[in-house]
Amino acid sequence: MKLLTFSTLFPNEQHAGHGIFVETRLRYLLASGKAESRVVAPVPWFPSSNPRFGEYASYAKVPRHEVRHGIQVSHPRYVSLPKIGMRVAPLLLARAAKREIGRMLDEGYHFDLIDAHYFYPDGVAAVMLGKYFNKPVVITARGTDINLIPQYSLPRRMILWAARNAQGMITVCQALKDEMVQLGVDPDRVTPLRNGVDLQRFAPLPERDAVRGELGLNRYTLLSVGYLIERKGHELIIAALPALPDAELLIAGSGPDRARLEALALQLGVSDRVRFLGPVAQPELKRYYNAADAMVLASSREGWANVLLEAMACGTPVVASNVWGTPEVVAAPAAGVLMRERTPLGVADAVKALRAAPPERSATRRYAELFSWDATTEGQLRLFGDILQGRSTPLWQPSGVRP
């Protein structure tokens, strides 16, 4: 089957880690040999690549077309409007992508189905495009698109419109499906397909002690991975360190809260035990996962946190907040410990509990091996095949219709 993968959540030359979980799932799907895909991953339009504009300038540097892991990726530009952007984002995304998709069709790539990721605005835009090009649409819900954005009335109405008009929906955990049902979505039309982990990329290193030495680690080591924003809860882990006097914390990631987090560590007198690593590429991240004694995730919201499985695949157990899909990931003692409360004390108590009864690192790795991508790939192929079975989609012809 021929797919068109559509999402603003997809890596590019400038942002190699952005939406990498979408790319990874797609790569495993294509590796089955039963599907092919091209990707349309819009990026915000910005007029200048001058470095003084910071993150905005990086959008201007994203190439219009690139090939990643053998997959052709297009990056049309869409206008992102301050203040009112959330209301009109689906329409702007659809308009930006329409010409690029039409070009693909005119060049002979007659895809069967739009595989969209993130319900709002991406999924809503995908349904608009599906109607315009007469193609079925499957939308994958991933977290904030369902557990936060529907709190706003207009996006909630548009999400429900997209849910009614999509031919299929996927959630990355059962908790997100339950939330969609609470919003009014038909449960029979939602398929939970959890994320997997790349067991080759993330694996135990035999020279773990040597790696710890190279990284200068000589205390009990905690690792926190994620964008530096309040939702990820890095500040809770920093605030737990006074109760963990022999522990050090590594924080991998970049984001707007770095200065605030550095100030907090200084205020609490633990700055000598907190190391900010900045953004870390996956090959290097594997070394940090292996070197850590525990990976800590204190998020307030998560659909399916891939970093948990990545750490476990390296043999490192986790401490995690008991939110959304996380209990579905941390579901056995070999995986780690769930916090009883999402507070600094909750973090400290969970770390102490893990240290009191740590699983064997080999057992943690075996637990992660239960989460290969095979079942997810099979589930996608089955769902897409059921949707396409018996459907005869005519070749696209240009029309005056606008999404």
Side-chain angles (χ1 to χ4, degrees):
M1 62 184 76
K2 291 186 176 182
L3 306 174
L4 176 74
T5 300
F6 178 80
S7 183
T8 58
L9 290 176
F10 205 86
N12 58 60
E13 181 184 278
Q14 293 295 311
H15 310 99
H18 179 66
I20 197 166
F21 40 85
V22 176
E23 181 185 64
T24 301
R25 193 179 91 171
L26 178 61
R27 288 175 60 194
Y28 275 88
L29 177 66
L30 302 186
S32 72
K34 298 178 181 178
E36 60 180 295
S37 184
R38 294 189 185 181
V39 176
V40 174
V43 298
W45 174 82
F46 193 75
S48 174
S49 60
N50 191 304
R52 74 172 184 267
F53 293 110
E55 181 70 12
Y56 293 102
S58 69
Y59 295 134
K61 295 179 182 178
V62 174
R64 294 280 176 167
H65 302 279
E66 62 180 323
V67 177
R68 294 182 55 86
H69 305 287
I71 305 168
Q72 294 187 43
V73 184
S74 299
H75 298 293
R77 267 49 177 181
Y78 69 96
V79 178
S80 180
L81 299 174
K83 295 185 179 180
I84 65 169
M86 189 174 189
R87 293 174 174 269
V88 297
L91 179 62
L92 295 174
L93 273 181
R95 286 184 178 277
K98 187 183 65 174
R99 179 178 295 181
E100 181 62 26
I101 295 172
R103 182 190 64 79
M104 287 183 183
L105 289 162
D106 289 342
E107 290 178 354
Y109 186 71
H110 297 288
F111 59 90
D112 303 303
L113 180 145
I114 298 176
D115 171 29
H117 296 256
Y118 207 69
F119 235 97
Y120 190 92
D122 308 47
V124 176
V127 171
M128 293 176 177
L129 292 164
K131 287 181 173 295
Y132 179 76
F133 290 110
N134 191 25
K135 301 292 184 180
V137 178
V138 173
I139 307 171
T140 295
R142 292 193 162 274
T144 302
D145 51 344
I146 295 301
N147 60 35
L148 176 64
I149 291 178
Q151 295 176 15
Y152 301 92
S153 59
L154 179 60
R156 181 174 63 250
R157 291 198 299 271
M158 297 181 78
I159 286 170
L160 291 174
W161 172 82
R164 290 192 300 270
N165 287 276
Q167 282 65 47
M169 288 164 282
I170 295 171
T171 60
V172 295
C173 62
Q174 181 63 40
L176 282 179
K177 175 176 179 176
D178 294 343
E179 184 67 13
M180 290 184 70
V181 172
Q182 288 294 316
L183 290 172
V185 178
D186 181 353
D188 293 337
R189 303 186 61 242
V190 183
T191 303
L193 292 175
R194 51 91 176 143
N195 285 345
V197 62
D198 187 330
L199 294 168
Q200 286 71 49
R201 172 173 289 178
F202 297 102
L205 295 173
E207 65 279 11
R208 179 172 180 263
D209 289 341
V211 172
R212 283 181 57 83
E214 292 168 7
L215 297 176
L217 304 177
N218 50 31
R219 299 184 178 101
Y220 186 83
T221 305
L222 306 176
L223 173 66
S224 180
V225 179
Y227 197 45
L228 304 187
I229 54 175
E230 185 176 3
R231 176 170 64 87
K232 290 296 183 180
H234 300 288
E235 70 279 2
L236 300 179
I237 311 171
I238 294 173
L241 289 180
L244 302 167
D246 62 340
E248 60 189 327
L249 171 62
L250 309 179
I251 300 178
S254 60
D257 279 5
R258 175 161 178 167
R260 182 177 66 84
L261 294 171
E262 289 176 331
L264 176 63
L266 187 63
Q267 175 190 340
L268 295 174
V270 297
S271 58
D272 62 324
R273 294 192 282 130
V274 180
R275 190 190 309 179
F276 290 87
L277 305 176
V280 180
Q282 287 196 333
E284 183 67 8
L285 191 56
K286 173 182 177 179
R287 283 164 46 85
Y288 284 103
Y289 281 137
N290 270 273
D293 294 292
M295 154 79 192
V296 185
L297 183 70
S299 301
S300 60
R301 298 187 310 276
E302 289 288 350
W304 184 279
N306 297 306
V307 294
L308 296 174
L309 283 177
E310 291 169 2
M312 294 178 209
C314 294
T316 301
V318 304
V319 168
S321 46
N322 191 350
V323 297
W324 295 95
T326 299
E328 299 173 40
V329 187
V330 187
V337 175
L338 292 171
M339 301 171 198
R340 285 182 290 187
E341 59 182 50
R342 187 177 172 268
T343 63
L345 178 61
V347 173
D349 286 347
V351 170
K352 291 174 182 177
L354 181 65
R355 293 185 72 175
E360 293 289 336
R361 294 183 71 92
S362 59
T364 301
R365 167 66 186 191
R366 288 194 298 273
Y367 178 85
E369 289 171 354
L370 301 174
F371 295 86
S372 74
W373 281 99
D374 295 347
T376 302
T377 294
E378 292 169 7
Q380 289 176 89
L381 291 170
R382 185 166 54 249
L383 175 62
F384 296 163
D386 288 346
I387 290 170
L388 295 175
Q389 188 175 15
R391 177 184 171 90
S392 178
T393 304
L395 295 182
W396 174 70
Q397 295 295 330
S399 74
V401 179
R402 295 291 184 271

